[in-house]
């Protein structure tokens, strides 16, 4: 088997690349270990907690014991299915702040400033504001990726935004437009009541051209001959074979599997490869390093009125929600229920938001377990730019072995003060008049948890990953010893090989990572095709006018 291009991974970036290459008339083979996204658990937005817990759809990675979290092993789900993590995620759509991408450019990712990437966001989007306003001039309207807003008809959803404004924060009509900072409606990759994954948006249309093919197999390593990638060794139906690339190999296997594949292929820290008997093709010290993520806490409040989604949290309620969705693609099941959000600054002197909120009109865990107290609501909150860094490394040279993952969560002292700030600011927001008709007691952390020491103990025990790993094949200048790929996504030191997914992010972006991952695929496709990048868009984003002196 051979094609012009081989893409490893049918995830957010890989699907976008496949579509643009096929559109340009190139032949593409997409290697994906996971299977079809068929089935209601993936397609129904309201069932989002289910696919992440299913080994059929999830690689099921977990960290080594995290040293600063009492040795907890943390779940690190990654999609093992067509669409990758876009098929099992929460469907939240966040571009990131303009300053995130300007920072990338300052870190050596030349050509990835906000003015460079904004045109790609517009190219990929097909945006529908659902009648809730928005910033149409900043959005794309005819791209493959449908982005929409939920109905926002639960009173708790609007109370959250009102409370934020009452607390002195700005309102934003579109955090993906000119102004990220503030409280407002959430965007989601949902279309006509169904999850709109990268598979639906990009790979299905690519397959329809006849130029793209899916091969279901486990990628074992990139085949490199005389310093050039020539194909991919895969295990398929119990046999090992090589699929040949006539032009290039593109690794889009996630921030966990992309560095693992590079190291298995001889690209990585030479001493680490030698430990596992792997011949060194390119000594790139940055492979697997720079691992970043977002952590979050759920601040939960009981509700004194039966307004939350808890009324559906029983067998009969779930059956009603499921049946309504199945027959009409409407109702509670047609929304991911993340319908209000906020991006705020933690203190004066912070230039742009460093805290994100996901508001949910029920008190429930990510695994779908509702709080025993009954009706309630919660805000998922966490800092956006932790200075902690971890690493992905090999356990062995066996491709079947999961890699060793250590995020070093909470290893930087500022992480602890940042999280305490998050909790205290959230309590203040929940204490506003907008919540007065509904506000019961604080379920979690609980009103008695007030001192720094008590808050730290709560954080250590309850903090969870937001499932935004990135950074392990960092993009940077070609002469940067810790960079893995150059600004055109080419692996430094190996010809015919690129990496394009969240692993190349120099620094984690503000918010959820699905949108920037797809944007990375869109932009990488132009580099792969040798096209001139889209013209820069110099629109000026809103910044808090007195950020040096005020927190809000």
């Amino acid at each position: 088997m051979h094609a012009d291009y081989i893409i490893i991974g049918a995830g957010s970036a890989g699907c976008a690349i496949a579509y643009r290459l096929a559109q340009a008339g190139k032949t593409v083979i997409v290697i994906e270990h996971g299977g079809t996204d068929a089935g209601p658990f993936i397609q129904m937005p309201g069932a989002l907690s289910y696919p992440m817990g299913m080994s059929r759809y999830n690689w099921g990675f977990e960290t080594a014991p995290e040293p600063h979290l009492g040795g907890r092993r943390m779940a690190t789900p990654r999609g093992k299915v067509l669409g990758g993590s876009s098929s099992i995620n929460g469907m939240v759509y966040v571009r990131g702040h303009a300053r995130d991408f300007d920072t990338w450019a300052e870190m050596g990712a030349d050509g990835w400033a906000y003015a460079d990437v904004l045109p790609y966001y517009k190219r990929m989007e097909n945006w529908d504001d659902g009648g809730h306003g928005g910033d149409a001039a900043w959005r794309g309207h005819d791209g493959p990726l449908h982005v929409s807003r939920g109905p926002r008809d639960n009173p708790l959803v609007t109370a959250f935004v009102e409370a934020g404004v009452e607390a002195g924060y700005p309102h934003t009509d579109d955090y993906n437009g000119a102004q990220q900072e503030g409280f407002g409606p959430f965007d989601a990759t949902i279309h006509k009541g169904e999850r709109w994954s990268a598979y639906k948006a990009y790979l299905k249309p690519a397959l329809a051209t006849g130029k793209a093919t899916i091969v279901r197999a486990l990628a074992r390593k990139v085949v490199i001959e005389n310093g050039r990638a020539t194909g991919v060794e895969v295990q398929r139906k119990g046999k090992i074979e090589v699929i040949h690339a006539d032009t290039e190999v593109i690794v889009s296997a996630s921030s966990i599997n992309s560095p693992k594949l590079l190291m298995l292929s001889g690209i990585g820290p030479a001493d680490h490869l030698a430990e596992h008997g792997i011949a060194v093709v390119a000594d790139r010290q940055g492979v697997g390093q720079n691992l970043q993520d977002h952590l979050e806490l759920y601040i939960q409040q009981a509700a004194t009125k039966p307004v939350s989604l808890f009324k559906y949290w029983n067998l009969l309620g779930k059956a009603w929600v499921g049946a309504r969705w199945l027959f009409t693609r409407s109702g509670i099941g047609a929304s991911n229920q993340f319908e209000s959000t906020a991006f705020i600054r933690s203190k004066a002197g912070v230039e742009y938001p460093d805290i994100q909120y996901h508001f949910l009109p029920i008190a429930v865990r990510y695994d779908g377990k509702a709080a025993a107290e009954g009706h309630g609501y919660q805000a998922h909150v966490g800092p956006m730019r932790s200075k902690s860094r971890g690493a992905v490394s090999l356990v062995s040279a066996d491709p079947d072995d999961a890699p060793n993952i250590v995020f070093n969560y909470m290893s930087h002292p500022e992480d602890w003060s940042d999280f305490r700030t998050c909790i205290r600011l959230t309590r203040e927001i929940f204490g506003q008049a907008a919540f007065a008709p509904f506000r019961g007691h604080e379920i979690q952390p609980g009103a008695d948890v007030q001192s720094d020491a008590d808050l730290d103990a709560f954080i250590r025990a309850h903090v969870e990953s937001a499932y935004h790993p990135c950074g392990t094949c960092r993009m940077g200048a070609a002469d940067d010893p810790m960079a893995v790929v150059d600004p055109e996504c080419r692996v430094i030191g190996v010809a015919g090989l690129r990496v394009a997914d969240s692993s190349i992010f120099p620094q984690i972006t503000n918010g959820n990572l699905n949108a920037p991952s797809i944007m990375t695929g869109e932009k990488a496709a132009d580099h792969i095709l040798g096209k001139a990048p889209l013209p820069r868009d110099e629109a000026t984003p809103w910044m808090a006018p007195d950020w040096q002196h005020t927190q809000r």
Side-chain angles (χ1 to χ4, degrees):
M1 291 188 76
H2 71 98
D4 295 332
Y5 296 92
I6 298 175
I7 300 169
I8 304 174
S12 299
C15 288
I17 295 167
Y19 173 73
R20 296 300 178 188
L21 296 185
Q23 204 181 38
K26 308 298 183 184
T27 56
V28 183
I29 291 173
V30 181
I31 299 167
E32 173 55 52
H33 190 39
T36 172
D37 69 343
F41 288 125
I42 279 184
Q43 304 309 328
M44 181 166 76
L48 62 89
S49 64
Y50 291 99
M52 204 178 284
M54 298 168 75
S55 58
R56 173 182 170 187
Y57 301 130
N58 178 11
W59 283 88
F61 297 128
E62 65 172 17
T63 68
E66 284 288 340
H68 303 277
L69 294 178
R72 290 167 62 197
R73 288 183 179 270
M74 307 286 278
T76 310
R78 291 292 86 196
K80 187 180 68 175
V81 57
L82 294 173
S85 296
S86 78
S87 290
I88 68 167
N89 69 356
M91 290 154 282
V92 169
Y93 182 85
V94 182
R95 287 174 170 179
H97 195 279
R99 284 292 297 129
D100 291 328
F101 302 101
D102 292 344
T103 301
W104 283 14
E106 290 159 13
M107 293 173 75
D110 193 38
W112 290 77
Y114 189 62
D116 300 305
V117 304
L118 181 56
Y120 288 95
Y121 277 123
K122 289 184 176 181
R123 182 170 89 176
M124 71 197 228
E125 288 177 357
N126 191 327
W127 185 67
D128 173 13
D129 72 359
H132 295 295
D135 221 340
W138 287 71
R139 307 303 292 265
H141 303 278
D142 53 8
L145 188 74
H146 285 281
V147 179
S148 64
R149 291 179 173 175
R152 310 191 74 238
D153 49 16
N154 186 294
L156 293 168
V157 168
T158 46
F160 179 70
V161 175
E162 289 165 16
V165 174
E166 286 171 352
Y169 296 101
H171 176 271
T172 178
D173 213 22
D174 190 354
Y175 65 87
N176 281 316
Q179 180 181 335
Q180 188 193 64
E181 188 167 340
F183 283 66
F186 238 147
D187 288 351
T189 49
I190 296 172
H191 181 51
K192 294 182 176 175
E194 292 188 7
R195 176 191 294 272
W196 195 254
S197 67
Y199 169 65
K200 285 183 180 173
Y202 289 101
L203 193 50
K204 276 181 88 169
L207 297 171
T209 67
K211 292 291 185 180
T213 312
I214 297 167
V215 171
R216 284 198 60 189
L218 174 69
R220 292 169 53 86
K221 67 176 182 179
V222 179
V223 178
I224 299 165
E225 298 170 350
N226 301 318
R228 182 174 193 88
T230 59
V232 181
E233 182 184 286
V234 301
Q235 183 174 325
R236 184 160 65 135
K237 297 175 182 172
K239 293 180 181 171
I240 293 173
E241 57 186 286
V242 174
I243 301 173
H244 297 278
D246 298 336
T247 308
E248 283 189 350
V249 173
I250 300 122
V251 181
S252 299
S254 84
S255 53
I256 308 300
N257 276 327
S258 290
K260 175 190 165 184
L261 271 166
L262 290 189
M263 288 186 279
L264 290 173
S265 310
I267 304 160
D271 52 349
H272 180 57
L273 301 183
E275 282 174 32
H276 298 291
I278 299 170
V280 178
V281 172
D283 178 9
R284 300 307 306 174
Q285 292 296 312
V287 175
Q289 303 300 305
N290 193 45
L291 177 61
Q292 300 162 61
D293 191 13
H294 291 138
L295 284 176
E296 62 182 16
L297 286 167
Y298 311 160
I299 310 303
Q300 298 180 324
Q301 193 91 25
T304 54
K305 293 181 181 176
V307 290
S308 80
L309 302 179
F310 184 73
K311 55 178 167 279
Y312 302 107
W313 227 256
N314 55 66
L315 207 56
L316 206 61
K318 288 180 180 180
W320 157 247
V321 168
R324 184 176 176 190
W325 179 84
L326 209 56
F327 292 112
T328 68
R329 293 298 191 267
S330 66
I332 299 296
S335 169
N336 61 357
Q337 300 308 326
F338 291 117
E339 295 181 355
S340 284
T341 186
F343 294 86
I344 64 173
R345 292 175 297 111
S346 59
K347 54 183 178 283
V350 174
E351 185 186 9
Y352 65 105
D354 58 344
I355 293 173
Q356 180 188 13
Y357 285 100
H358 298 64
F359 181 78
L360 204 54
I362 185 172
V364 68
R365 291 193 341 213
Y366 238 141
D367 61 10
K369 291 180 181 166
E373 278 90 344
H375 282 282
Y377 47 95
Q378 69 191 35
H380 301 206
V381 62
M384 289 290 96
R385 293 189 290 283
S386 168
K387 292 175 181 170
S388 295
R389 296 291 181 270
V392 172
S393 56
L394 295 177
V395 168
S396 77
D398 185 345
D400 285 325
D401 285 344
N404 186 57
I405 304 166
V406 181
F407 283 92
N408 278 322
Y409 289 129
M410 306 299 291
S411 57
H412 196 281
E414 285 179 22
D415 293 337
W416 297 93
S417 57
D418 288 348
F419 258 109
R420 292 194 295 268
T421 298
C422 286
I423 295 169
R424 288 169 173 147
L425 291 175
T426 307
R427 283 171 161 167
E428 184 192 1
I429 293 159
F430 278 179
Q432 298 299 314
F435 278 114
F438 316 110
R439 186 169 51 244
H441 67 282
E442 184 175 292
I443 301 170
Q444 180 175 293
D448 56 333
V449 181
Q450 295 291 342
S451 70
D452 284 4
D454 286 349
L455 288 173
D456 286 352
F458 171 76
I459 293 161
R460 190 176 293 105
H462 292 279
V463 76
E464 297 283 350
S465 171
Y467 310 138
H468 300 161
C470 63
T472 48
C473 300
R474 181 167 74 75
M475 173 168 49
D479 60 357
D480 180 345
M482 292 303 289
V484 177
V485 300
D486 70 10
E488 293 195 11
C489 307
R490 297 174 295 207
V491 174
I492 300 164
V494 181
L497 181 62
R498 301 193 201 227
V499 179
D501 57 23
S502 64
S503 70
I504 73 168
F505 296 3
Q507 179 176 284
I508 198 164
T509 55
N510 244 18
N512 312 63
L513 298 194
N514 184 235
S517 298
I518 295 173
M519 178 278 292
T520 296
E522 283 271 11
K523 191 170 187 302
D526 278 0
H527 293 308
I528 292 161
L529 290 166
K531 286 184 167 185
L534 295 177
R536 284 167 59 92
D537 186 332
E538 302 285 0
T540 306
W542 183 91
M543 304 290 281
D546 197 25
W547 63 265
Q548 294 99 329
H549 306 109
T550 60
Q551 183 255 333
R552 63 188 90 168

